[in-house]
Amino acid sequence: MMGLVEVAVRIGKALTRSKIGRALLFALVAVLTIGGVYQFGRQAGVSAERSAQADRMAKASKIADEVRAKAGVITQDIRRDVAVKTVEIRWRTKTLKEEVPIYVPFEVDRTFSVPVGFVRMHDAAALGSTLPRSPGGPVEAPSGVALYTVADTVVDNYGACHVLEVEALAWREWYSRQAALYGAHIKGVSAEPQGSALKP
């Protein structure tokens, strides 16, 4: 049994004896050479693209890690600022509450009566509800609520509002800074390969 190489050699010798055979042999060698070069080039291109993709992924991962670290710093900064401002507001609120008896002494309640209309209006505003179409009685009648209590409640309410305001503004600043950070860094990373070996 002859080997494959011997068969190829015999066929090659047979083809070289005629002009048509030599042309066929030349065409076969040319096709095999072109196919080999194409396959080699294709494999080299795929390998280069995989390497380039790995480089892009590594760079993107590094950028993402840096952005995440900077985003964490922004969050910590905002959280610290909110904590400091909240402590300050609570201290101020506590100090004001201690001053209520001085600015609104209990003796005032003997001469001044907080009217029912005021209490109803205050409570509706605090609850976020509406008032009835008509008061349903005299609005100037005494409510039994001490002016001292009104002042103390107002100080508490404003203190809570200031804390919420600080938190809301902090969320705005956090979002704005995060959006600027991500917009400046992440949009520059292309998901599409540039100069891809696989593109026509």
Side-chain angles (χ1 to χ4, degrees):
M1 186 191 242
M2 288 190 292
L4 202 55
V5 174
E6 284 180 46
V7 170
V9 169
R10 284 187 181 186
I11 291 172
K13 283 182 182 179
L15 288 174
T16 58
R17 292 187 189 135
S18 73
K19 202 173 192 182
I20 293 176
R22 285 191 296 272
L24 283 172
L25 185 60
F26 176 76
L28 180 63
V29 169
V31 166
L32 290 174
T33 302
I34 291 169
V37 168
Y38 169 78
Q39 190 60 27
F40 175 78
R42 185 177 184 284
Q43 287 176 347
V46 168
S47 177
E49 178 57 31
R50 285 184 181 147
S51 177
Q53 179 67 13
D55 287 347
R56 284 192 298 273
M57 292 301 288
K59 286 177 186 174
S61 180
K62 183 179 177 189
I63 290 170
D65 288 344
E66 290 171 0
V67 169
R68 272 194 293 271
K70 289 176 182 177
V73 170
I74 290 171
T75 299
Q76 288 173 354
D77 287 350
I78 299 287
R79 188 177 288 148
R80 185 189 61 242
D81 290 349
V82 167
V84 167
K85 289 175 182 174
T86 299
V87 166
E88 183 182 319
I89 290 166
R90 289 189 175 141
W91 174 83
R92 225 176 17 241
T93 301
K94 181 179 178 286
T95 303
L96 286 171
K97 282 175 69 73
E98 290 169 357
E99 299 291 324
V100 169
I102 297 166
Y103 283 86
V104 188
F106 294 114
E107 294 79 29
V108 172
D109 287 323
R110 292 189 196 123
T111 58
F112 179 82
S113 177
V114 177
V116 169
F118 175 85
V119 173
R120 287 181 189 159
M121 179 70 69
H122 175 273
D123 291 350
L127 296 171
S129 61
T130 57
L131 289 166
R133 284 186 166 214
S134 67
V139 291
E140 64 279 352
S143 65
V145 175
L147 189 59
Y148 170 89
T149 304
V150 171
D152 194 62
T153 301
V154 167
V155 169
D156 272 339
N157 289 346
Y158 278 121
C161 285
H162 288 305
V163 168
L164 293 174
E165 177 188 27
V166 163
E167 290 173 355
L169 292 174
W171 272 111
R172 275 181 163 178
E173 182 183 353
W174 179 87
Y175 176 81
S176 176
R177 288 174 63 185
Q178 295 286 357
L181 173 67
Y182 278 86
H185 293 88
I186 299 303
K187 73 178 179 185
V189 179
S190 174
E192 285 295 316
Q194 295 178 359
S196 171
L198 299 178
K199 288 185 177 178

